[in-house]
Amino acid sequence: MKYVKQLMIILAVSFAAEAMEYLIPLPVTASVYGLLLMLAALTTHVIPLKKVEETADYLVNIMAVMFVPAAVGIMAAMEELKQMALPLIAAVLISTPLVMIVTGWTAQFILRRRKKE
């Protein structure tokens, strides 16, 4: 029963994120809203970590299985993707290092801030 309660909390945050995507006219996906909502709820202790930790760990552990349908969809659309290969490769080659750099800077900023405290 504990896992059902934890899953219901996670699903409630996901539902709120879906509603935000529908109601807020910004080009932001529900998954981003969901991550921000969950981060805010956990850091402000509105949702204590213990209330979702075990189910969240389980979901992270099975995350690879969740990508199987997406991979099959990509394989099914391979002909269409071949036509867009060059722009896709360019986007990956540009965005991947950019994300890595911004993530590194963010981590360094947080670590420096914690040292000051």
Side-chain angles (χ1 to χ4, degrees), residues 3 9 17 26 31-32 35 38-39 42 50 55-56 59 63 65 71 76 78 84 88 93-94 99 102 108 110 112:
Y3 297 109
I9 293 169
L26 293 174
S31 59
V32 173
L35 288 171
M38 186 61 83
L39 176 65
L42 290 171
K50 292 193 184 285
T55 300
L59 291 172
M63 189 185 305
V65 176
M78 193 57 74
M84 299 184 300
L88 287 173
L93 291 176
I94 292 169
V99 167
V102 171
Q108 288 176 347
I110 291 170
R112 281 191 213 117

Side-chain angles (χ1 to χ4, degrees), residues 1 4 10 20 33 35 37-38 45 48 53 55 60 65 74-75 77 82 86 88 91 94 99 103 105-106 109 115-116:
M1 195 66 173
V4 174
I10 294 169
M20 288 175 70
Y33 283 130
L35 288 171
L37 282 174
M38 186 61 83
H45 303 288
E53 186 172 22
T55 300
V60 169
V65 176
I74 289 172
M75 291 170 51
K82 284 181 183 176
L86 190 58
L88 287 173
I94 292 169
V99 167
T103 303
W105 286 344
T106 304
F109 172 77
K115 280 184 181 179
K116 288 180 182 179

Side-chain angles (χ1 to χ4, degrees), residues 17-114:
E18 290 289 337
M20 288 175 70
E21 180 184 29
Y22 179 75
L23 295 172
I24 300 173
L26 293 174
V28 178
T29 63
S31 59
V32 173
Y33 283 130
L35 288 171
L36 293 174
L37 282 174
M38 186 61 83
L39 176 65
L42 290 171
T43 55
T44 60
H45 303 288
V46 170
I47 299 175
L49 181 58
K50 292 193 184 285
K51 295 281 187 184
V52 293
E53 186 172 22
E54 291 172 311
T55 300
D57 286 342
Y58 173 74
L59 291 172
V60 169
N61 287 334
I62 65 165
M63 189 185 305
V65 176
M66 302 301 180
F67 285 101
V68 171
V72 171
I74 289 172
M75 291 170 51
M78 193 57 74
E79 289 303 317
E80 293 85 3
L81 290 174
K82 284 181 183 176
Q83 298 170 2
M84 299 184 300
L86 190 58
L88 287 173
I89 291 170
V92 168
L93 291 176
I94 292 169
S95 66
T96 301
L98 187 64
V99 167
M100 292 171 73
I101 290 167
V102 171
T103 303
W105 286 344
T106 304
Q108 288 176 347
F109 172 77
I110 291 170
L111 290 172
R112 281 191 213 117
R113 189 169 164 208
R114 283 189 180 171

Side-chain angles (χ1 to χ4, degrees), residues 10-20:
I10 294 169
L11 290 176
V13 171
S14 296
F15 178 77
E18 290 289 337
M20 288 175 70

